[in-house]
Amino acid sequence: MTGTLYGIGVGPGDAELLTLKAVRLIQSCPVLVWPAPLEGEGLARTIAAPHVPPGKTEIAIRLSFRPERDDTDRAYDAAAETIAGHLAAGRDVAVLCEGDPLFFGSFIYVLTRLRDRFPVEVVPGIASPMAAASVALRPLSTLEDAVAIIPATRAEAEIERLLAAAESAVIMKVGRHLPKVRRVLDRLGRTANALVVERATQDRQRLIPLAELAEAPYFSLILVQS
């Protein structure tokens, strides 16, 4: 019998927002894995920390998080083989993922490498758009409203097209792309209804109208309403 690979969503930052199932598996799986910068624990492990008992085998997938992502494949290839060794030995492995594992989730890179070799189960987590809407008290949709989820990394013309087609939108991964996003929202006359949410549910959470923001960190998104 092989072990099971679990992709566990740990939510946006508040450790109390993990599901009961996520907590149970974090406590029971002998091996925990998570993405991390070259130094330090990484956000997913920090979120899960209150629920992690001692005695686990812990594996950090070290990434530079450079925009070029030139080390991503190499890091996940190596991590997948390490995980595969534990699974083949019959040990369950829990991969911790910020937000939801299948919504821009780092777990996807592990899933694509191992899903054909081992049993896999995904435990959903609260994704950042849901968390941002809750702390801002802004509904994402009502009745038949269409909602667009748009990575700020997309081309300016594509962002404008997607925004124009929806009643509300969530613009993800803002960071250094803020000037481009601001130009699009200005052209569409939607800047006044755009709110930047930084680090939703975390200690350093901030809510700032886009018109008042000079720069945005990577862990921020923009809620846009018509």
Side-chain angles (χ1 to χ4, degrees), residues 177-194:
H177 301 284
L178 179 62
K180 172 177 63 178
V181 173
R182 193 194 302 273
R183 287 194 300 270
V184 173
L185 291 170
D186 285 346
R187 283 199 299 272
L188 295 175
R190 300 179 75 171
T191 300
N193 293 325

Side-chain angles (χ1 to χ4, degrees), residues 9-10 35 37 41 54 79-80 95 100 116 137 139 155 158-159 165 172 177 200-201 213 218:
V10 298
E41 279 197 340
V95 180
D100 181 88
D116 294 330
L137 300 179
E158 293 176 352
I159 295 173
M172 309 281 295
H177 301 284
T201 79
L213 190 71
Y218 181 80

Side-chain angles (χ1 to χ4, degrees), residues 184-219:
V184 173
L185 291 170
D186 285 346
R187 283 199 299 272
L188 295 175
R190 300 179 75 171
T191 300
N193 293 325
L195 180 71
V196 179
V197 182
E198 297 181 5
R199 299 181 177 89
T201 79
Q202 300 177 35
D203 291 340
R204 292 185 290 166
Q205 170 185 297
R206 291 201 306 166
L207 282 68
I208 311 162
L210 177 61
E212 301 175 10
L213 190 71
E215 60 182 11
Y218 181 80
F219 288 109

Side-chain angles (χ1 to χ4, degrees), residues 45-125:
R45 179 60 174 81
T46 300
I47 296 169
H51 308 295
V52 178
K56 301 289 184 182
T57 297
E58 301 197 32
I59 302 167
I61 305 174
R62 297 292 178 185
L63 301 161
S64 67
F65 295 105
R66 291 189 295 266
E68 298 81 9
R69 303 183 64 82
D70 52 338
D71 63 341
T72 300
D73 284 343
R74 183 169 61 253
Y76 280 106
D77 284 345
E81 287 312 303
T82 300
I83 293 168
H86 287 288
L87 294 170
R91 291 184 286 273
D92 292 339
V93 178
V95 180
L96 310 179
C97 185
E98 302 150 19
D100 181 88
L102 300 182
F103 183 76
F104 297 104
S106 55
F107 176 70
I108 296 169
Y109 300 105
V110 179
L111 174 67
T112 56
R113 287 164 168 80
L114 297 176
R115 68 186 305 168
D116 294 330
R117 299 166 59 186
F118 301 100
V120 181
E121 183 175 335
V122 173
V123 180

